[in-house]
Amino acid sequence: MAERFKQKTVQQILQQYFKDDKTKMTAESLALVTEVATVFVAAVGRTVRQAKKDGDNELSLEHFEKILPQLLLDL
Amino acid sequence: MSTEENFEQLTHCQRLKAAVHHTTLRVCKESVEGKDVELNRMVVAAISEATWKRFETWATDLEMFAKHGKRSTVNADDVKMLIRKSPKLLEHINMLQEQMNASKGETKKKTKKTKSKDTTAQTSSTVTQMDIDEDSRT
């Protein structure tokens, strides 16, 4: 996948939610979390598969809602 | 003024959300290429929102895992704990880590140094290869 999240963005977002100001991240862990975030978004692929299963060729919220529970459990 | 600070925080937050949405849209567009389906803006917005919420969960979890290991710096093992439910994803992440370490090994040879205590400095050079900005905080 050529498109992915920018590590700097991911770091800033996570830093916002850290309860302790002292919490930091290693460069390696940041790279890995960025990859996980990119994979999460690529869940759109599951939405596409669901849409095709339903015989539609436009993605709708209904398709996304169908795959969302499993997505949240997996990731 | 605390209201000014709040306002700045808010726009900072909005900027980050916008960045997430922007990247989400790009990843989605790439994913549906050649798949013969049409993307829906609302679906992209929903994915973007879900991702944003996930970041909060991930941040809390990562911090807790690090604390559990009596550390204040989140490391790769904490990230792997995060994705423990999905073996395939774990495999993918392990492979990525190996790739990163392999190129880290190459940079080590070039610098002719023996074991460096500060491995984060080395990994950040690998990180720049992945076309990301370096951040001094790591």
Side-chain angles (χ1 to χ4, degrees):
Chain A
M1 192 165 299
E3 298 285 358
R4 31 171 52 99
F5 275 98
K6 286 220 164 76
Q7 291 196 18
K8 211 167 190 180
T9 313
V10 172
Q11 180 172 43
Q12 286 186 22
I13 301 172
L14 293 179
Q15 209 83 44
Q16 256 210 329
Y17 288 122
F18 283 151
K19 297 206 178 61
D20 193 349
D21 287 334
K22 287 183 251 153
T23 309
K24 301 198 231 339
M25 293 185 72
T26 62
E28 192 182 29
S29 63
L30 185 58
L32 297 180
V33 173
T34 307
E35 182 64 19
V36 174
T38 308
V39 168
F40 185 85
V41 177
V44 68
R46 291 192 189 180
T47 313
V48 169
R49 257 182 278 154
Q50 183 64 46
K52 292 211 160 212
K53 223 198 230 175
D54 289 348
D56 295 319
N57 59 5
E58 183 174 346
L59 298 185
S60 77
L61 281 177
E62 209 179 292
H63 304 130
F64 183 55
E65 278 170 14
K66 283 187 182 168
I67 60 105
L68 190 59
Q70 191 58 45
L71 179 67
L72 294 180
L73 288 170
D74 287 340
L75 281 178
Chain B
M1 300 243 165
S2 64
T3 37
E4 248 179 54
E5 278 171 13
N6 284 341
F7 177 68
E8 268 201 41
Q9 256 250 325
L10 195 63
T11 39
H12 181 63
C13 191
Q14 282 174 335
R15 274 198 297 255
L16 291 177
K17 266 196 175 173
V20 168
H21 189 78
H22 179 73
T23 309
T24 305
L25 184 58
R26 281 161 73 174
V27 175
C28 285
K29 278 194 173 153
E30 198 188 27
S31 295
V32 299
E33 247 173 75
K35 295 264 168 70
D36 197 31
V37 280
E38 264 184 57
L39 211 48
N40 179 323
R41 293 278 155 162
M42 287 202 294
V43 172
V44 175
I47 296 180
S48 171
E49 192 66 31
T51 312
W52 178 262
K53 295 249 163 76
R54 268 288 121 158
F55 274 124
E56 181 174 357
T57 313
W58 287 337
T60 317
D61 288 351
L62 286 173
E63 194 175 26
M64 256 202 292
F65 295 152
K67 271 217 170 89
H68 179 71
K70 303 214 188 345
R71 290 172 272 109
S72 62
T73 307
V74 173
N75 65 16
D77 288 334
D78 298 324
V79 180
K80 288 188 206 166
M81 276 272 275
L82 204 63
I83 51 169
R84 64 195 179 283
K85 298 259 170 74
S86 180
K88 273 201 171 157
L89 183 56
L90 184 57
E91 215 178 287
H92 175 75
I93 292 293
N94 277 330
M95 268 183 7
L96 180 63
Q97 192 185 25
E98 270 169 40
Q99 279 173 13
M100 282 173 20
N101 288 337
S103 32
K104 184 184 27 163
E106 280 171 21
T107 21
K108 258 194 183 166
K109 280 181 199 166
K110 282 181 192 168
T111 53
K112 284 188 193 171
K113 282 188 182 161
T114 43
K115 273 192 191 167
S116 169
K117 278 183 191 167
D118 184 11
T119 48
T120 49
Q122 245 109 29
T123 40
S124 44
S125 61
T126 322
V127 162
T128 45
Q129 283 170 31
M130 291 163 73
D131 107 346
I132 295 316
D133 293 334
E134 239 177 32
D135 196 283
S136 55
R137 269 210 234 161
T138 52

